[in-house]
Amino acid sequence: MTITFVGHGYVGLVTACVFADFGNDVFVIGHTPSKIDRLKNGDPIIYEPGLKELLEKNLKAGRLHFTLDYKEAIAASKIVFIAVGTPPKENGEADLSIVFEVAEKIAKNLKGDFTVVSCKSTVPVGTNKKIEAILYQYKNPNAEVAIASCPEFLREGTAIYDTLNADRVVIGSSSQKAIDLLIELHKPINGKRIITDLASAELIKYTSNAMLATKISFANLISFYCEKTGADVETVLDAVGIDKRIGRIFMNPGVGYGGSCLPKDVMALINIGKNLGIDPGFLEAIEKVNLQTRKNFLAKILENTNEKNIAIWGLSFKPDTDDIRFASSLYLIEKLLGNGFKINVYDPAAMENVRKTFGDKINYSKDPYEAVKNVSSLAILTEWNEFKQIDLLKVKRLMKCPLIFDGRNIYPTDTVKALGFKYFSIGRQPVK
Ligand code: UDX
């Protein structure tokens, strides 16, 4: 099948590469010439494990075509996916301007044959109806088109695996022809099929991300109770999570959720609720706890350090990505700089992105050991594997004071205690 993706971010590029790998002919439309050139040369721009190899393989096979031009791609495609960004505006509302702009361009290039326009961007309920209206307003009267919502649930860091092994493939449309085509395209993908209407498909995505954020904020809230009462958050959540109705997965306390989806989608769902006359107080509380988690971590550092120089390990919003959108590292670095701290940072993938924000206000280290040399404390913000079994004795020797603030609970308390560290983690009793 010939298909098109408009947008080449985590969703657009990964899904395009996966469908090309199945043997489809795939166009990917972008709007920045330099980025399209890089993609044509096999550079995925973003860091995602396995993506470069998949991109190179399918470019070589001639199944992937990167372009700035809608004309050829849209006319040739049976399915056109919209996979562009919907960043939050100041008030939390999703900014849909790019989605609508793209819909108009698609409409103007539709030819006579039946085409499905399928939205993968996360958009508020009702948006696909607006896209449909735009398609009808600008298309050639002879062109046959139908709209579908096909939300994406991939996680950064495991995006290719998630695309191949989806928990569910959601297809929302009122057109049976569109549904049939999308079912056909998704045949090689594992996962339960949910065929539904547009509004339900749109809401499924927001509900999933809001539920994930709920689990994290709940775990973080309980960690506050543990710290005040002497309870141990891991023991509490392990016991609670044994109950199959609750589950332990995705309930790890830390320095809060970040990334391009959870923060943005909770904000957007709050906004959607307000517009519908629904009190979104529950969702607002999830956000409030997320921010409180970061504030508490900062307070721990400020209260327990005498000298203002610190190393930070982990800058990306989670491991195996270079993405720093809404990462807790950005909040922490800004606040620590504001408090006069000298900061050394290390991250295996995200340093260049952080450099774009903080420039030479902080020091960038080539490895975790260099970062801790002569510093009085270390803060761990992302649980990259390479920190988990690092030589802690060497770390201790290099540091001026053996003091760790672990925002991801990656070390057993007993281990760091035996090595002679002072250790503050999340929802567990400190080692002083
Ligand atoms: C998320 C959803 O998981 C995915 O289904 C959706 O399509 C896009 O948004 P992603 O943003 O890649 O994926 O990251 P995710 O793995 O969900 O983690 C989000 C944030 O939550 C990270 O900052 C992570 O560190 C944090 N997190 C996650 C916790 O603090 N505790 C947990 O138990 C799990």
Side-chain angles (χ1 to χ4, degrees), residues 11 122 152-158 162 168 205 208-209 212 215-216 219-220 248-263 265 290 294 316-319 321 323 326-328 381-383 408:
V11 171
T122 304
E152 184 52 61
F153 301 94
L154 60 81
R155 293 163 298 174
E156 289 179 25
T158 50
D162 287 354
R168 66 298 210 196
K205 177 64 193 259
S208 294
N209 280 350
L212 293 172
K215 289 191 91 173
I216 299 167
N220 282 324
R248 178 66 172 90
I249 199 163
F250 227 79
M251 268 209 316
N252 298 310
V255 274
Y257 59 78
S260 67
C261 288
L262 265 47
D265 292 349
N290 200 45
R294 290 173 180 183
S316 54
F317 81 97
K318 68 179 215 177
T321 179
D323 197 340
F326 290 95
S328 51
L381 302 183
T382 318
E383 67 279 31
R408 297 290 177 183

Side-chain angles (χ1 to χ4, degrees), residues 103-290:
E104 186 180 324
K105 287 186 188 158
I106 294 170
K108 288 177 175 164
N109 287 284
L110 287 169
K111 291 279 170 286
D113 295 343
F114 179 73
T115 313
V116 183
V117 175
S118 174
C119 189
K120 276 207 174 285
S121 302
T122 304
V123 291
V125 182
T127 305
N128 278 291
K129 284 265 179 218
K130 290 184 190 159
I131 297 175
E132 186 178 40
I134 293 172
L135 293 173
Y136 273 89
Q137 184 183 348
Y138 291 101
K139 80 178 179 70
N140 172 330
N142 299 325
E144 209 193 327
V145 69
I147 184 85
S149 167
C150 210
E152 184 52 61
F153 301 94
L154 60 81
R155 293 163 298 174
E156 289 179 25
T158 50
I160 295 171
Y161 176 86
D162 287 354
T163 306
L164 292 168
N165 302 285
D167 287 327
R168 66 298 210 196
V169 172
V170 176
I171 300 172
S173 182
S174 55
S175 157
Q176 192 55 47
K177 226 165 148 183
I179 291 169
D180 291 344
L181 263 177
L182 284 162
I183 288 177
E184 173 68 26
L185 179 71
H186 285 85
K187 254 192 188 143
I189 299 215
N190 298 320
K192 193 171 164 54
R193 270 57 179 160
I194 308 286
I195 311 300
T196 183
D197 57 275
L198 276 180
S200 302
E202 289 168 329
L203 203 54
I204 285 168
K205 177 64 193 259
Y206 280 110
T207 309
S208 294
N209 280 350
M211 188 63 217
L212 293 172
T214 304
K215 289 191 91 173
I216 299 167
S217 275
F218 188 76
N220 282 324
L221 183 68
I222 296 304
S223 81
F224 305 162
Y225 281 80
C226 291
E227 286 178 12
K228 295 277 184 198
T229 58
D232 180 84
V233 77
E234 305 293 349
T235 311
V236 171
L237 293 176
D238 284 350
V240 170
I242 287 171
D243 186 330
K244 288 190 187 64
R245 295 169 302 172
I246 299 171
R248 178 66 172 90
I249 199 163
F250 227 79
M251 268 209 316
N252 298 310
V255 274
Y257 59 78
S260 67
C261 288
L262 265 47
K264 163 177 86 69
D265 292 349
V266 172
M267 262 188 253
L269 198 56
I270 289 170
N271 208 275
I272 296 167
K274 284 181 182 162
N275 289 336
L276 294 170
I278 298 164
D279 179 355
F282 178 80
L283 300 167
E284 284 167 340
I286 295 167
E287 267 193 334
K288 198 172 156 196
V289 172
N290 200 45

